């Protein structure tokens, strides 16, 4: 009986020592696109300590790794009984910060130009620093010239671009709104530039609708353009006041364009 009990204890001991090794990685990705401050910490269960670690990518044979870029890393963990477990671990990274912009050119030689930014990628919580000191995604009251901006996200990742404000060239409303896919820059000639057309837009910013009121016209063509130049709303106004439903539009900056009696009116509006 004692021999049987001893044999059972030995069997249990050998079984416990030969139990499989499990690897649970704790992963932190880089904070910026193309960054290299990611890390992997391994939690090991099962098997029999001590454990050894063999990584690909010429990484040191340690349980934790730091200063890692995005990618896939493979580690082989062996216990004291040479029982092995292999784990392939993928580290992801944030999307690259991409800046696109509307440029509203100067009209009549005045400082009435503007640049409206749209930022994608990175980690939301953006701040803006312009070469003229502005700190908003909308840079107003600009004269002819080039303006540089650095955008910083919530993790301190940055991207920069330079946009040029030019003197407006007179042309029709629909020709004034365009999107250049080569450099990602859109342009709307002038803001509130109409001389004879009286237009009121309220509320601005808006969450549900924009009311467009014509004071001296009975019929007008109204268009709303998003930050990449797409016409998202288009309608004809035949009454003194027309409401544009924007409740389903993404938050951000838009350009409202009105054409009536050969006059053009363009205004920056915000959906929040």
């Amino acid at each position: 009986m004692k021999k049987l009990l001893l044999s059972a204890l030995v069997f249990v001991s050998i079984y416990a020592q030969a139990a499989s090794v499990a690897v649970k990685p704790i992963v932190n990705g880089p904070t910026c696109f193309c960054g290299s401050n990611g890390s992997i910490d391994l939690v090991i269960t099962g098997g029999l300590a001590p454990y050894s670690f063999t990584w690909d990518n010429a990484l040191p044979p340690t349980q934790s790794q730091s200063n890692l870029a995005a990618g896939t890393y493979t580690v082989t963990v062996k216990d004291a009984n040479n029982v092995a477990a292999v784990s392939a671990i993928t580290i992801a990274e944030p999307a690259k910060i991409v800046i696109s912009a509307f440029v509203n050119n100067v009209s009549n030689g005045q400082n009435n130009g503007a640049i409206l930014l749209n930022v994608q990628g990175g980690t939301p919580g953006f701040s803006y620093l312009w070469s003229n000191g502005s700190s908003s995604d909308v840079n107003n009251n600009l004269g002819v010239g080039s303006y540089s901006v650095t955008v910083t996200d919530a993790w301190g990742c940055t991207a920069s671009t330079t946009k040029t404000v030019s003197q407006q060239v007179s042309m029709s409303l629909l020709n004034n709104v365009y999107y250049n896919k080569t450099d990602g820059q859109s342009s709307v000639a002038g803001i509130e530039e109409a001389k004879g057309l009286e237009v009121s837009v309220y509320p601005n910013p808006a969450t549900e609708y924009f009311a467009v009121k014509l004071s001296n016209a009975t019929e007008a063509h109204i268009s709303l353009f998003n930050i990449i130049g797409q016409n998202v709303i288009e309608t004809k106004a035949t009454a003194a006041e027309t409401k544009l439903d924007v409740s389903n539009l993404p938050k951000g900056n838009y350009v409202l364009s009105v054409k009536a009696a050969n006059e053009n009116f363009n205004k920056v509006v915000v959906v929040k």
Side-chain angles (χ1 to χ4, degrees):
M1 185 66 177
K2 291 183 178 180
K3 289 184 178 180
L4 289 175
L5 181 59
L6 180 59
S7 297
L9 291 173
V10 171
F11 175 78
V12 170
S13 176
I14 294 173
Y15 178 79
Q17 292 179 10
S20 61
V21 176
V23 180
K24 179 182 178 181
I26 299 174
V27 179
N28 291 297
T31 52
C32 300
F33 178 78
C34 285
S36 57
N37 61 339
S39 65
I40 300 173
D41 293 311
L42 300 180
V43 177
I44 311 300
T45 57
L48 183 67
Y51 304 99
S52 64
F53 305 89
T54 303
W55 295 81
D56 62 358
N57 307 85
L59 294 175
T62 56
Q63 188 167 348
S64 300
Q65 300 291 340
S66 58
N67 301 319
L68 301 178
T72 299
Y73 299 84
T74 301
V75 60
T76 300
V77 180
K78 291 184 179 180
D79 73 352
N81 289 320
N82 212 34
V83 176
V86 179
S87 180
I89 305 162
T90 298
I91 295 181
E93 65 183 346
K96 181 180 180 181
I97 298 175
V98 177
I99 306 171
S100 58
F102 270 118
V103 175
N104 298 272
N105 290 322
V106 168
S107 62
N108 303 321
Q110 302 178 31
N111 291 339
N112 59 357
I115 303 174
L116 300 82
L117 297 183
N118 180 46
V119 180
Q120 296 178 323
T123 303
F126 300 105
S127 61
Y128 310 88
L129 181 60
W130 291 86
S131 54
N132 67 339
S134 176
S135 58
S136 172
D137 59 340
V138 180
N139 199 350
N140 285 310
N141 304 316
L142 302 179
V144 172
S146 295
Y147 299 86
S148 299
V149 61
T150 297
V151 177
T152 304
D153 76 357
W155 284 106
C157 312
T158 62
S160 300
T161 189
T162 299
K163 300 298 179 182
T164 300
V165 176
S166 304
Q167 175 65 41
Q168 170 200 335
V169 178
S170 178
M171 57 184 73
S172 69
L173 174 64
L174 294 182
N175 285 336
N176 275 340
V177 182
Y178 65 89
Y179 181 57
N180 185 327
K181 294 183 178 179
T182 301
D183 61 7
Q185 178 170 301
S186 301
S187 177
V188 179
I191 299 179
E192 299 182 71
E193 62 185 88
K195 297 178 181 178
L197 182 60
E198 296 180 9
V199 181
S200 300
V201 182
Y202 59 90
N204 185 25
T207 56
E208 299 293 332
Y209 67 88
F210 291 115
V212 182
K213 185 175 181 180
L214 307 177
S215 299
N216 58 347
T218 57
E219 186 171 315
H221 185 92
I222 302 174
S223 299
L224 188 68
F225 296 89
N226 65 15
I227 197 69
I228 61 173
Q230 296 172 327
N231 190 342
V232 294
I233 295 179
E234 187 168 8
T235 187
K236 287 186 178 180
T238 56
E241 182 176 291
T242 301
K243 289 186 177 181
L244 304 182
D245 183 3
V246 297
S247 59
N248 293 322
L249 293 180
K251 297 178 182 179
N253 299 314
Y254 294 80
V255 174
L256 178 73
S257 297
V258 180
K259 182 178 181 180
N262 296 319
E263 290 283 352
N264 298 339
F265 172 93
N266 300 318
K267 182 178 180 64
V268 176
V269 292
V270 179
V271 175
K272 67 176 184 178

